[in-house]
Amino acid sequence: MNKEKTNKVLDYFEELFPDAHCELNHQNVFELLVAVMLSAQTTDKKVNQVTASLFKKYPTVESFALASLEDLQNDIKIIGLYRNKAKNLKKMAQVLLEEYNGEVPKTRKELESLPGVGRKTTNVVLSVGFDEPAFAVDTHVERISKRLGFAKKDDTVNDVERKVCRSIPRDRWNKAHHQFIFFGRYFCKAQNPNCKECHLYDMCKDKIKEVRK
């Protein structure tokens, strides 16, 4: 993606979604980490439904670490993969207590060492929680990146992240990440993209069908 096309995309996203932001409800970095861990293969809306009561029942790292696995499973049962997510939440909280004095670490290496925490979750926590430049690739970002030509149809998630970060200036990663998500979630949807009103249609009209998911 050349600079001219990249700027066209970013300017359009800024016009459409100047206030794009993380839609996972949280009050601190630990709650953000929990919410992002829960968000795999489910919607932010569903996660927010769960965390509304979850964070009241378990307000601290210690309370997650001490919770019974059965209780945690029941508390998040309405979202997908709840058994594995409950196990990872408990283990993650235990590691924070044992190795980080109950604080969420601030480095990529340390974050990715936590149970259940991969690159996408790490990128979100670094970006939203610590305001460090990072670009998380979820299903929306991957789809939009391939539709607009930042990446190729068969690129892996890591390929997409690398290519998008190479095209977009580092100081715009954090905001652009949310704008990519908003564009994919509310405008250029997976099955019903709003092509007729899109100012970027000429950039993706040849790709829109081949990367539709």
Side-chain angles (χ1 to χ4, degrees):
M1 177 73 76
N2 63 41
K3 185 175 181 180
E4 182 181 354
K5 289 183 177 179
T6 297
N7 287 336
K8 180 179 180 180
V9 170
L10 295 180
D11 289 346
Y12 187 47
F13 285 1
E14 181 67 22
E15 177 185 335
L16 289 176
F17 305 111
D19 300 316
H21 60 279
C22 177
E23 294 190 299
L24 291 170
N25 295 335
H26 62 281
Q27 296 296 320
N28 53 58
V29 179
F30 176 68
E31 289 188 356
L32 173 66
L33 175 57
V34 171
V36 181
M37 290 175 68
L38 290 173
S39 70
Q41 298 186 33
T42 192
T43 65
D44 287 1
K45 182 178 180 180
K46 184 70 71 174
V47 173
N48 289 336
Q49 290 176 0
V50 169
T51 56
S53 57
L54 190 71
F55 292 151
K56 291 180 180 179
K57 184 174 181 179
Y58 307 105
T60 63
V61 176
E62 290 85 356
S63 56
F64 272 92
L66 295 173
S68 76
L69 188 57
E70 182 179 1
D71 282 347
L72 272 179
Q73 289 177 350
N74 287 331
D75 291 329
I76 66 172
K77 198 170 184 177
I78 67 170
I79 63 175
L81 307 175
Y82 70 92
R83 290 188 178 87
N84 195 50
K85 290 178 180 179
K87 179 181 68 175
N88 284 331
L89 286 177
K90 182 175 174 67
K91 288 183 177 180
M92 176 272 292
Q94 290 172 335
V95 171
L96 290 186
L97 288 177
E98 294 168 2
E99 300 184 20
Y100 300 103
N101 296 315
E103 299 293 329
V104 177
K106 297 183 178 181
T107 70
R108 178 178 297 281
K109 182 177 180 180
E110 290 172 322
L111 283 166
E112 290 186 355
S113 74
L114 297 175
V117 177
R119 188 170 183 85
K120 186 192 83 169
T121 298
T122 294
N123 281 336
V124 175
V125 173
L126 288 174
S127 173
V128 178
F130 296 119
D131 199 28
E132 293 290 336
F135 203 99
V137 178
D138 66 357
T139 56
H140 296 296
V141 172
E142 181 178 4
R143 184 178 71 254
I144 296 306
S145 298
K146 292 179 178 180
R147 282 182 174 177
L148 292 177
F150 284 93
K152 296 180 180 179
K153 182 180 76 169
D154 297 325
D155 280 346
T156 66
V157 170
N158 287 342
D159 289 334
V160 173
E161 180 186 337
R162 176 174 53 82
K163 290 181 177 181
V164 170
C165 288
R166 187 173 60 196
S167 296
I168 297 175
R170 182 180 175 86
D171 62 356
R172 299 186 71 172
W173 287 356
N174 289 358
K175 187 168 188 179
H177 161 243
H178 296 304
Q179 290 173 329
F180 267 68
I181 292 175
F182 270 49
F183 187 68
R185 184 176 288 164
Y186 301 116
F187 192 95
C188 188
K189 299 180 181 180
Q191 298 302 327
N192 295 296
N194 193 9
C195 298
K196 290 183 178 180
E197 297 181 20
C198 184
H199 294 180
L200 305 177
Y201 180 63
D202 287 343
M203 294 175 59
C204 65
K205 61 184 178 182
D206 296 328
K207 303 181 183 70
I208 195 75
K209 292 182 180 179
E210 71 178 27
V211 299
R212 183 171 290 177
K213 296 180 181 179

